[in-house]
């Protein structure tokens, strides 16, 4: 699909940008790593933990270069792209370490350069390599990802798909007001600014309702309707799908013609530059997803998450080039799909969470119809907010997780204050993976077959599988008062897959 997103002129610009970047990399090796994902999946936390553990020599036993002692040091340098905002690493770490608060979510594209000085494991490589790699980490909002598939769709396609999705059982009640308003509109009537505005506002309200925790839906384009930034109120955001459109050319001066023109302006001036200037320059990619939030909301949300990941992967440029083509075109040769917040489950359920994500990723890769890139999945927690323990209840010993739930989180009618640490039995994920995607079967949130236990239990007495969110941990200190690195689950495995081969 990615090849259909650009014109010949776009490809020429991409080739020139790539050639310039490759020429620079001959003297200063670099790797561009894209970090992306849907809203609140943990992109900011992942990048912060990635950098913090490398700079401070964190415990990373599965990251071979660190384990073998070949990394001399890692440090931040000035980023290469002056026009891109800097990822505010220091602010995010201060929130995590000093205030025990999660940092603010990604609201715009940002970049950070982390340079690693290392000794190659190969004597031959040490003769020809400087032992220095700059990792340019590019962070961009999950909402913007939702726009990329629009580059391959006409306005009629966009409208038809929007209405098809709006009548799905998990969305029908939320979209009812917008659909009723749209049904009363004549697309062939004269263009009217107030009509366009009412439609756009009603459509945006429906998308925002879909995003709330109760539904946790993922496929919600256009992304700037959820996060408009400096485009708020502009004509480029004052459009909406119209029902019953054909591919026939709209009458000049009609409402349909106005909507089509604004949709095309959105694609041309908002989406395409983002794709050309950032996505096509990536070498590696991690897609972080909050599968637990989707599991909370039920099979409809899981099926929607799978749809979103499929469309996201279809917009990347995966594959492996050769010595000649690499000078003119970048390809993403490794993609990691990571389910975050694994610390919200006991380790006994990590395999099931990873199996759910593997199923989601495998089907998405197959449907996106691309080959040539290595794709892996992992269940991780870039910052581990809980620890594990056991609680005895009668004759049964229950595995629990211990942490401080965020203020306002609820279990069995109890609302937490954000200060009290508690032990929680998180429940078990379903053994049958297909069930969590089956929108036609019984809702797996109801009586999912978990072990029964009293006390603080997620997913048993509650009417739904309910994974609460926790505050960041208080970091341990050594006897000398030195603060240790951020704890994690499988962050080292992610690092090994994403950059380990470049440090071999």
């Amino acid at each position: 699909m990615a090849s259909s997103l650009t014109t010949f002129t776009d490809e020429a610009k991409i080739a020139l940008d790539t050639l310039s970047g490759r020429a620079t990399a001959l003297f200063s090796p670099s790797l561009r790593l894209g970090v992306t994902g849907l809203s609140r999946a943990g992109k900011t936390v992942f990048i912060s933990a990635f950098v913090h553990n490398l700079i401070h020599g964190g415990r990373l036993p599965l990251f071979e270069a660190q384990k073998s002692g070949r990394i001399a040091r890692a440090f931040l340098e000035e980023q290469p792209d002056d026009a891109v905002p800097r990822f505010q690493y220091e602010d995010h770490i201060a929130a995590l370490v000093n205030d025990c608060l999660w940092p603010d979510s990604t609201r715009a594209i940002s970049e950070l350069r982390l340079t690693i000085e290392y000794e190659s494991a190969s004597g031959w490589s040490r003769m020809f390599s400087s032992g220095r790699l700059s990792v340019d980490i590019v962070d961009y909002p999950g909402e913007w990802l939702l726009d990329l598939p629009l580059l391959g769709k006409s306005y009629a396609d966009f409208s038809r798909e929007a209405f098809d999705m709006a009548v799905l059982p998990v969305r029908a009640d939320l979209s009812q007001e917008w659909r009723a308003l749209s049904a009363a509109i004549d697309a062939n009537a004269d263009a009217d600014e107030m009509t366009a505005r009412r439609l756009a506002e009603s459509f945006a309200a429906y998308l925002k309702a879909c995003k709330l925790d109760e539904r946790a839906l993922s496929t919600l384009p256009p992304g700037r309707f959820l996060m408009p930034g400096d485009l708020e109120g502009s004509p480029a955001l004052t459009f909406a799908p119209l029902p019953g459109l054909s591919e026939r050319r709209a009458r000049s001066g009609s409402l349909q013609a106005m909507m089509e023109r604004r949709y095309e302006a959105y694609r041309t001036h908002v989406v395409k530059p983002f794709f050309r200037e950032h996505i096509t320059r990536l070498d590696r990619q991690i897609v972080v997803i909050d599968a637990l939030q989707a599991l909370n909301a039920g099979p409809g949300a899981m099926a929607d998450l799978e749809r979103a990941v499929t469309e996201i992967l279809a917009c990347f440029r995966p594959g492996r080039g050769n010595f000649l083509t690499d000078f003119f075109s970048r390809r993403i040769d490794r993609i990691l799909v990571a389910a975050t917040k694994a610390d919200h489950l006991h380790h006994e359920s990590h395999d099931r969470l990873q199996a759910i994500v593997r199923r989601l990723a495998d089907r998405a890769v197959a449907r996106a119809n691309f080959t040539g890139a290595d794709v892996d999945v992992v269940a991780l927690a870039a910052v581990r907010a809980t620890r594990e323990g056991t609680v005895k209840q009668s004759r049964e010993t229950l595995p629990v997780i211990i942490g401080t739930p965020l203020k306002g989180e609820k279990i069995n009618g109890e609302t937490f204050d954000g200060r009290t640490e508690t032990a929680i039995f998180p429940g078990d994920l379903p053994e049958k993976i297909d069930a969590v995607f089956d929108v036609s079967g019984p809702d797996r949130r109801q009586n999912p077959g978990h072990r029964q236990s009293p006390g603080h239990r997620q997913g048993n007495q509650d009417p739904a599988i309910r994974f609460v969110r926790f505050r960041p941990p208080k970091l341990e200190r050594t006897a000398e008062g030195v603060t240790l690195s951020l704890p994690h689950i499988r962050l080292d495995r992610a690092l090994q897959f994403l950059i380990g081969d470049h440090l071999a």
Side-chain angles (χ1 to χ4, degrees):
M1 177 179 171
S3 61
S4 67
L5 306 185
T6 53
T7 64
F8 178 79
T9 302
D10 294 327
E11 291 296 336
K13 291 179 180 178
I14 292 168
L16 288 173
D17 289 343
T18 304
L19 183 60
S20 174
R22 296 300 193 199
T24 302
L26 290 175
F27 304 97
S28 179
S30 65
L31 177 74
R32 289 187 70 83
L33 171 64
V35 180
T36 193
L38 300 169
S39 180
R40 295 188 297 178
K43 300 179 296 297
T44 301
V45 174
F46 175 83
I47 296 172
S48 300
F50 179 114
V51 174
H52 190 266
N53 273 279
L54 285 176
I55 289 178
H56 295 280
R59 289 168 284 191
L60 304 168
L62 297 182
F63 184 43
E64 197 278 330
Q66 179 90 324
K67 177 184 177 182
S68 60
R70 294 190 292 103
I71 293 182
R73 66 171 181 146
F75 55 96
L76 295 176
E77 283 195 295
E78 188 175 340
Q79 67 192 55
D81 301 308
D82 292 334
V84 178
R86 183 179 183 273
F87 179 86
Q88 297 301 326
Y89 165 76
E90 295 81 3
D91 294 345
H92 300 322
I93 286 297
L96 283 166
V97 174
N98 299 333
D99 303 327
C100 290
L101 297 174
W102 297 114
D104 292 337
S105 299
T106 300
R107 302 195 66 82
I109 194 164
S110 62
E111 185 177 343
L112 191 69
R113 168 165 281 195
L114 175 71
T115 296
I116 303 170
E117 292 181 350
Y118 68 99
E119 179 180 319
S120 174
S122 164
W124 180 259
S125 297
R126 288 196 293 270
M127 292 176 59
F128 296 97
S129 171
S130 63
R132 182 184 175 101
L133 176 70
S134 293
V135 182
D136 294 322
I137 305 170
V138 182
D139 175 33
Y140 49 98
E143 284 76 6
W144 294 12
L145 278 176
L146 306 174
D147 290 338
L148 298 184
L150 300 181
L151 293 176
K153 298 174 183 177
S154 68
Y155 175 69
D157 292 334
F158 162 65
S159 293
R160 184 167 50 253
E161 290 186 12
F163 280 97
D164 286 346
M165 293 181 65
V167 297
L168 293 175
V170 73
R171 295 171 178 248
D173 60 328
L174 302 180
S175 66
Q176 185 175 1
E177 182 177 330
W178 163 64
R179 287 186 290 116
L181 180 61
S182 299
I185 298 296
D186 180 3
N188 198 46
D190 290 345
D192 175 68
E193 186 64 38
M194 293 309 296
T195 299
R197 180 177 168 182
R198 285 197 304 273
L199 284 169
E201 289 175 349
S202 181
F203 181 58
Y206 147 63
L207 295 180
K208 291 172 184 176
C210 288
K211 183 183 174 183
L212 296 178
D213 286 350
E214 290 77 10
R215 300 298 170 92
L217 299 177
S218 305
T219 311
L220 303 171
R224 297 321 196 275
F225 278 48
L226 298 171
M227 191 177 291
D230 56 5
L231 291 175
E232 188 164 10
S234 69
L237 289 190
T238 313
F239 69 91
L242 289 173
L245 298 185
S246 67
E247 294 292 344
R248 292 182 302 175
R249 185 178 182 85
R251 179 180 69 83
S252 178
S254 67
L255 179 65
Q256 180 181 342
M258 171 196 276
M259 294 292 195
E260 285 184 355
R261 185 176 68 252
R262 292 180 175 183
Y263 173 77
E264 290 302 324
Y266 184 81
R267 295 200 312 163
T268 301
H269 301 298
V270 179
V271 184
K272 186 172 285 189
F274 167 65
F275 178 72
R276 186 183 67 233
E277 295 167 12
H278 301 290
I279 304 302
T280 60
R281 298 176 61 199
L282 299 175
D283 300 305
R284 299 276 166 93
Q285 180 70 54
I286 177 170
V287 179
V288 294
I289 60 173
D290 186 354
L292 296 186
Q293 185 186 37
L295 283 166
N296 273 351
M302 286 300 297
D304 197 71
L305 177 60
E306 183 178 14
R307 183 186 301 113
V309 172
T310 300
E311 294 209 336
I312 289 166
L313 293 181
C315 292
F316 292 140
R317 293 186 163 206
R320 298 182 182 276
N322 55 48
F323 179 78
L324 180 61
T325 60
D326 279 350
F327 274 98
F328 300 99
S329 177
R330 290 180 185 262
R331 295 284 170 178
I332 297 175
D333 60 358
R334 290 193 180 186
I335 299 173
L336 182 65
V337 180
T340 57
K341 305 176 185 176
D343 56 330
H344 290 36
L345 292 167
H346 194 273
H347 75 269
E348 291 179 354
S349 287
H350 287 184
D351 285 347
R352 292 185 186 180
L353 176 60
Q354 197 155 291
I356 289 170
V357 179
R358 168 64 70 184
R359 143 72 191 268
L360 185 151
D362 284 350
R363 287 177 45 144
V365 167
R367 291 177 181 179
N369 192 29
F370 71 79
T371 57
D374 292 333
V375 181
D376 198 5
V377 303
V378 64
L380 61 78
V383 174
R384 182 172 188 164
T386 66
R387 62 189 190 276
E388 295 187 349
T390 57
V391 171
K392 273 189 168 284
Q393 290 287 351
S394 300
R395 298 179 180 178
E396 189 175 12
T397 299
L398 298 175
V400 297
I401 54 175
I402 304 167
T404 305
L406 289 175
K407 184 177 181 179
E409 289 292 297
K410 297 179 180 180
I411 301 177
N412 298 335
E414 179 180 352
T415 302
F416 291 96
D417 59 12
R419 299 187 301 272
T420 305
E421 186 176 76
T422 189
I424 296 172
F425 172 55
D428 305 317
L429 292 178
E431 293 183 13
K432 296 181 179 180
I433 302 305
D434 288 346
V436 303
F437 295 93
D438 185 8
V439 295
S440 63
D443 192 336
R444 294 297 297 179
R445 296 177 298 167
Q446 308 293 330
N447 189 25
H450 293 172
R451 289 172 287 182
Q452 297 298 309
S453 69
H456 286 310
R457 292 160 40 251
Q458 293 176 243
N460 301 323
Q461 294 171 348
D462 224 20
I465 298 176
R466 177 67 181 148
F467 303 102
V468 301
R469 290 170 287 204
F470 294 86
R471 290 188 65 177
K474 292 182 179 179
L475 293 193
E476 300 174 16
R477 294 179 181 270
T478 65
E480 295 76 24
V482 178
T483 301
L484 298 178
S485 58
L486 291 164
H488 64 86
I489 298 175
R490 301 187 190 91
L491 177 65
D492 48 351
R493 179 177 154 186
L495 292 177
Q496 181 63 27
F497 180 78
L498 292 169
I499 66 173
D501 58 322
H502 281 265
L503 303 174

